[in-house]
Amino acid sequence: MKNNKQAELRHDLLSGDWVIVSPSRANVGKKPSSKECPFCNIEKQEKPTLIYSNGKEVNDLKNWTTVVIPNKFPILTPGKIKEEKENDFYIRTKSSGFHEIVVTKNHLKSLAYLPLKKVKEVFDCFQKRMIEYKKHDFVKCSFVFHNHGSLAGASQPHPHSQILTTPFVDNEFRLFLDNAKSYYSREKQCLQCKVLEMEKKNKKRIIFENDNFIAYIPFA
């Protein structure tokens, strides 16, 4: 019998997708006993996997400005994938993957209010960790998200982002890739490039654009 606290992946036979079931996540919303912010006292958290100090990668927390730490209540944990059946029908596996937190030092300033060099640190952390994840055969896809405020699901007010990996490619994302591949085989053109071309032409749904990025509201 499995430990009911062990997170696992369950295969949905109806949709063909995998679902993460993580009972330990029920503890996330509980307030810590200490009144101190856990991310302002980063040395008391899990051992960092990456530390930055004013634009440079360093080995200690002495003057840290951005840090990556393992999530204390992970949805996924590193390890080999081993499938097993329940009643010779349902399939489950251990929830193999990484679940880490990227924390910026300023308790009061969210990512949007940080200077550009501090924002770059955050994206450098995303990139470096994803490159590291690729070395493991149980990593098939990486996700980055940032919950801003309690209404968005943030359990801690201190600004932070999260990175997690899955041992599968999500069905919705796989469909996106398959459609792009199918379009290219027919038209010999990148589908996303064509979408951007059309959005820039009609200018109705563009929210923001500069030399490097564009944000727009999807047509559908």
Side-chain angles (χ1 to χ4, degrees):
M1 196 72 180
K2 269 187 155 321
N3 183 342
N4 58 12
K5 292 184 179 180
Q6 172 69 52
E8 61 187 31
L9 296 166
R10 297 180 184 179
H11 186 242
D12 185 344
L13 291 169
L14 299 178
S15 69
D17 213 346
W18 288 87
V19 177
I20 301 172
V21 179
S22 182
S24 67
R25 295 293 293 174
N27 297 319
V28 171
K30 296 180 180 180
K31 293 182 179 179
S33 57
S34 172
K35 292 182 179 180
E36 294 182 341
C37 169
F39 296 155
C40 287
N41 295 272
I42 204 73
E43 68 280 352
K44 296 180 181 179
Q45 298 303 302
E46 302 292 322
K47 183 179 178 181
T49 54
L50 187 60
I51 307 169
Y52 268 86
S53 175
N54 297 308
K56 295 182 179 180
E57 185 177 344
V58 296
N59 296 320
D60 60 66
L61 291 165
K62 185 177 180 181
N63 296 303
W64 74 276
T65 49
T66 305
V67 66
V68 182
I69 56 173
N71 195 307
K72 189 170 279 188
F73 303 102
I75 295 176
L76 307 104
T77 52
K80 293 183 178 180
I81 301 171
K82 183 180 180 181
E83 292 188 358
E84 60 181 55
K85 290 187 176 181
E86 178 178 293
N87 300 325
D88 294 323
F89 190 64
Y90 293 125
I91 298 174
R92 56 153 56 104
T93 78
K94 177 184 176 184
S95 57
S96 301
F98 292 92
H99 188 182
E100 298 185 321
I101 299 174
V102 182
V103 184
T104 48
K105 191 162 189 175
N106 194 309
H107 181 88
L108 299 176
K109 284 190 177 182
S110 64
L111 191 65
Y113 294 98
L114 293 177
L116 185 59
K117 61 182 181 180
K118 290 294 190 294
V119 176
K120 182 181 183 299
E121 280 188 4
V122 174
F123 279 83
D124 284 345
C125 286
F126 294 159
Q127 183 187 51
K128 281 184 173 289
R129 291 308 294 154
M130 286 182 180
I131 290 173
E132 183 63 29
Y133 301 152
K134 287 176 66 176
K135 299 176 182 179
H136 301 271
D137 58 7
F138 57 82
V139 174
K140 302 300 181 187
C141 200
S142 298
F143 300 88
V144 173
F145 60 96
H146 183 103
N147 294 333
H148 181 73
S150 58
L151 292 178
S155 58
Q156 295 291 343
H158 192 119
H160 63 283
S161 305
Q162 298 190 53
I163 323 174
L164 61 84
T165 70
T166 58
F168 58 86
V169 178
D170 181 78
N171 272 3
E172 186 174 356
F173 187 51
R174 185 182 295 278
L175 182 61
F176 176 91
L177 295 174
D178 289 345
N179 285 339
K181 184 178 180 180
S182 177
Y183 183 85
Y184 186 83
S185 66
R186 296 193 315 269
E187 306 295 336
K188 304 305 177 186
Q189 187 176 5
C190 165
L191 177 58
Q192 186 65 70
C193 295
K194 185 65 177 179
V195 169
L196 291 178
E197 178 187 325
M198 299 306 296
E199 293 301 336
K200 292 175 73 173
K201 184 177 180 179
N202 63 44
K203 299 184 183 299
K204 293 180 179 179
R205 288 175 288 271
I206 293 178
I207 299 169
F208 176 82
E209 180 182 3
N210 62 19
D211 291 338
N212 301 299
F213 293 93
I214 183 170
Y216 64 92
I217 299 171
F219 168 71

